[in-house]
Amino acid sequence: MPGFLELGLSPRVLRAIEAMGYEEPTPVQVQAIPRLLAGKDVVVQAQTGTGKTAAFGIPIAERVNTAMPRVQALVLSPTRELALQVASNLTEIGQFVGMTVLPIYGGQGYEHQIRSLRRGVHVVVATPGRLLDLLQRRSLTLDAVHHLVLDEADEMLDMGFLPDVERIIRQTPAERQTTLFSATMPDAIFQLAARHLKEPERIILSRPRAITVPTVDQSCYLVPREYKAEALVRLLDTKSPQLALVFCATKRMAAALAVELQGRGYRAEALHGDMTQSQRESVMESSRAGRVEVLVATDVAARGLDISEVSHVVNFDIPQDPDSYIHRIGRTARAGRSGEAITLVGPREFSLLRVIENTTGVRIPRKELPTVAEAEEAERAGLAAHLSQLVTQDAGASFKPLVERLAQQHNPIDLAAAALSMTVGPGRERQEIPKVSPQETAPPSPGYGGRRGSGRSFGPRRGGRR
Ligand code: AMP
């Protein structure tokens, strides 16, 4: 697969990609970016989570003329939440180009949006209703728009926005370039594309197909994004992996998570594409020798990794396509050993989980995270086992004269407890993890094959423990 360097991008955009920590383009980016840079209209069947925003955002950042303070790219979005998320992603992508991006959505006063428009923005990400209001008030015009993106078109259809979308499209120049993204392709979306796109090229991402799933014990946990590190720590404590390989989406994330785990007292190391070959080798050597318990890696860095001791694979970020899921979980249970694959699923990643399940044909069991008490209990049990082992080996022989002296002044239990607190510290601080309620998870969305309402219900479990 080509890397970002082979996509013919400018240094300023490559710098932003580097700053965002993306290591290599996702499949939708590999397919869409060259076509969009070549000026083609494109219809992409892909879901949120596949990297579609950067797939259209990168070409926009390449084409916007920042010397001209006019709206040159317009992204239509079904919801305020998506508009905000897309606008923030586009701002990051265009940060070194000087590209300004404004989200426009209903439910907020007009003044701020109008003031920002007056100052001149290059890209607008808007929900259709509010944009039409502003067009009617003549707060902006779309005369200079050369890139139009219809994002999550099937959602806009479901929400009854298509007439508004058509009205907006008619106010943009005919010679614009248009991209349409949709998870499914109902007739109305086909017709919309036929009316407004010029000989569009069609990109369809990984249709469900037969895949061999390695025989690994799989499970997943629904966790709010900001509590994933806490969830990981609880799982590490209760499962005591020999070596856990934890996957993150970006190298920035991998490096940050490794540091956070080290801070919490785990022997963790990061493995990412920015490391030199000798740094990599030294981390791998430590892992093989059992000096590392958690290896935090990106997909790229883990490629070619040959460590048979991996007892647990953890998808800290859910992989963006079923193939990488299969690759990742295949890193454990090697050389006849048993292995476990754990996926942490944030509310916004729920639809990707379904895509993986639909493609592999395997349902990944949802599990409840260990409670704080269980994690503490497991941590203590591990400590007790370790201590017993040391006693059996008479590991503290040289300290015995000191202990005998101290035992004349102190109770032996107090002594041993104080000695433990010296080496272990006060114990790990643990946070409560709020449960992801069913309303917070993404609504059931179909797989790439468009199996809307396939009847399988994989919703999160109600009730239960933390
Ligand atoms: P999207 O499908 O656009 O909502 O993107 C889903 C997530 O993937 C976002 O958090 C993006 O920042 C992230 N992302 C997009 N492209 C890449 C990439 N090439 N490598 C790593 N993460 C990416």
Side-chain angles (χ1 to χ4, degrees):
M1 227 171 46
F4 280 115
L5 283 176
E6 282 96 77
L7 293 178
L9 307 178
S10 64
R12 287 184 303 179
V13 171
L14 285 173
R15 205 171 129 209
I17 291 170
E18 173 70 25
M20 289 188 291
Y22 297 175
E23 279 192 306
E24 60 171 9
T26 65
V28 66
Q29 290 162 5
V30 169
Q31 297 204 48
I33 291 173
R35 290 172 164 109
L36 290 173
L37 288 176
K40 299 221 162 27
D41 281 5
V42 179
V43 171
V44 187
Q45 202 170 331
Q47 312 201 324
T48 293
T50 51
K52 67 185 168 66
T53 312
F56 62 77
I58 289 171
I60 288 176
E62 292 288 0
R63 293 290 179 256
V64 156
N65 174 3
T66 48
M68 185 172 78
R70 302 193 61 192
V71 180
Q72 298 161 57
L74 171 65
V75 181
L76 292 181
S77 167
T79 62
R80 160 203 150 109
E81 190 200 18
L82 183 69
L84 282 168
Q85 189 191 319
V86 165
S88 117
N89 205 185
L90 294 185
T91 303
E92 277 197 289
I93 293 169
Q95 61 184 307
F96 300 116
V97 175
M99 178 171 96
T100 49
V101 183
L102 179 69
I104 286 184
Y105 47 83
Q108 192 198 30
Y110 287 83
E111 305 72 35
H112 167 74
Q113 294 173 352
I114 291 174
R115 233 180 301 124
S116 305
L117 283 168
R118 278 209 198 104
R119 277 202 296 271
V121 295
H122 305 115
V123 182
V124 160
V125 185
T127 53
R130 174 57 67 98
L131 182 67
L132 272 180
D133 278 357
L134 290 175
L135 285 169
Q136 272 151 15
R137 292 164 177 240
R138 305 204 182 283
S139 302
L140 82 159
T141 68
L142 304 177
D143 304 346
V145 166
H146 49 69
H147 274 74
L148 172 67
V149 179
L150 309 175
D151 199 7
E152 302 202 349
D154 52 354
E155 292 293 325
M156 294 203 278
L157 167 72
D158 285 353
M159 295 170 78
F161 290 157
L162 278 209
D164 286 354
V165 169
E166 299 257 5
R167 237 172 279 149
I168 293 167
I169 296 177
R170 282 197 292 273
Q171 299 201 33
T172 62
E175 57 280 9
R176 62 168 197 268
Q177 182 179 6
T178 312
T179 318
L180 183 149
F181 286 83
S182 203
T184 57
M185 280 292 158
D187 260 359
I189 297 301
F190 256 121
Q191 285 160 18
L192 181 77
R195 271 197 302 280
H196 299 291
L197 275 70
K198 294 179 281 290
E199 298 171 26
E201 299 208 358
R202 205 161 162 214
I203 298 172
I204 303 176
L205 278 179
S206 20
R207 288 168 173 286
R209 67 197 140 84
I211 273 184
T212 321
V213 184
T215 48
V216 172
D217 182 12
Q218 300 172 59
S219 57
C220 67
Y221 298 83
L222 301 176
V223 189
R225 167 89 222 163
E226 60 277 29
Y227 289 91
K228 280 193 174 184
E230 185 65 27
L232 173 63
V233 163
R234 276 195 209 172
L235 291 165
L236 291 175
D237 286 345
T238 47
K239 293 183 181 284
S240 325
Q242 182 184 3
L243 176 61
L245 180 56
V246 177
F247 283 98
C248 290
T250 66
K251 39 190 173 179
R252 205 167 56 175
M253 271 288 315
L257 182 60
V259 169
E260 169 154 12
L261 290 172
Q262 286 161 1
R264 289 178 178 230
Y266 297 85
R267 285 173 290 135
E269 291 289 346
L271 198 64
H272 56 73
D274 278 352
M275 294 164 66
T276 64
Q277 188 57 25
S278 70
Q279 284 173 321
R280 257 178 81 90
E281 269 158 22
S282 119
V283 170
M284 305 230 291
E285 184 47 45
S286 305
S287 307
R288 283 198 200 96
R291 290 193 298 272
V292 174
E293 52 187 335
V294 191
L295 202 51
V296 191
T298 57
D299 284 305
V300 175
R303 211 164 281 159
L305 187 75
D306 185 23
I307 299 181
S308 53
E309 286 79 10
V310 175
S311 58
H312 292 72
V313 164
V314 181
N315 294 307
F316 191 83
D317 292 309
I318 196 164
Q320 290 177 331
D321 59 278
D323 281 344
S324 28
Y325 179 78
I326 303 291
H327 279 136
R328 286 182 180 186
I329 71 171
R331 302 257 156 215
T332 182
R334 290 199 161 178
R337 297 169 210 250
S338 64
E340 203 179 323
I342 295 166
T343 303
L344 302 181
V345 186
R348 292 198 58 82
E349 294 173 325
F350 204 66
S351 61
L352 278 173
L353 178 70
R354 285 162 181 273
V355 172
I356 290 169
E357 292 184 319
N358 285 343
T359 310
T360 57
V362 174
R363 185 181 190 274
I364 305 171
R366 278 72 173 144
K367 294 208 176 146
E368 301 278 345
L369 283 171
T371 60
V372 169
E374 283 164 342
E376 275 166 0
E377 175 63 33
E379 191 191 352
R380 299 257 146 91
L383 202 56
H386 192 196
L387 260 181
S388 305
Q389 192 193 1
L390 292 175
V391 171
T392 316
Q393 296 165 347
D394 202 16
S398 63
F399 293 108
K400 278 186 190 168
L402 173 65
V403 176
E404 272 158 15
R405 214 167 349 112
L406 286 169
Q408 290 167 4
Q409 302 162 26
H410 302 284
N411 170 328
I413 292 185
D414 292 345
L415 257 185
L420 264 182
S421 77
M422 254 166 69
T423 57
V424 185
R428 286 169 178 153
E429 232 173 75
R430 296 175 199 278
Q431 259 180 310
E432 297 295 340
I433 301 179
K435 252 193 312 177
V436 178
S437 73
Q439 295 88 317
E440 280 173 278
T441 53
S445 72
Y448 292 122
R451 289 193 252 159
R452 203 177 274 266
S454 64
R456 287 209 278 171
S457 169
F458 293 169
R461 269 196 244 158
R462 280 161 207 276
R465 292 182 311 231
R466 264 190 300 266

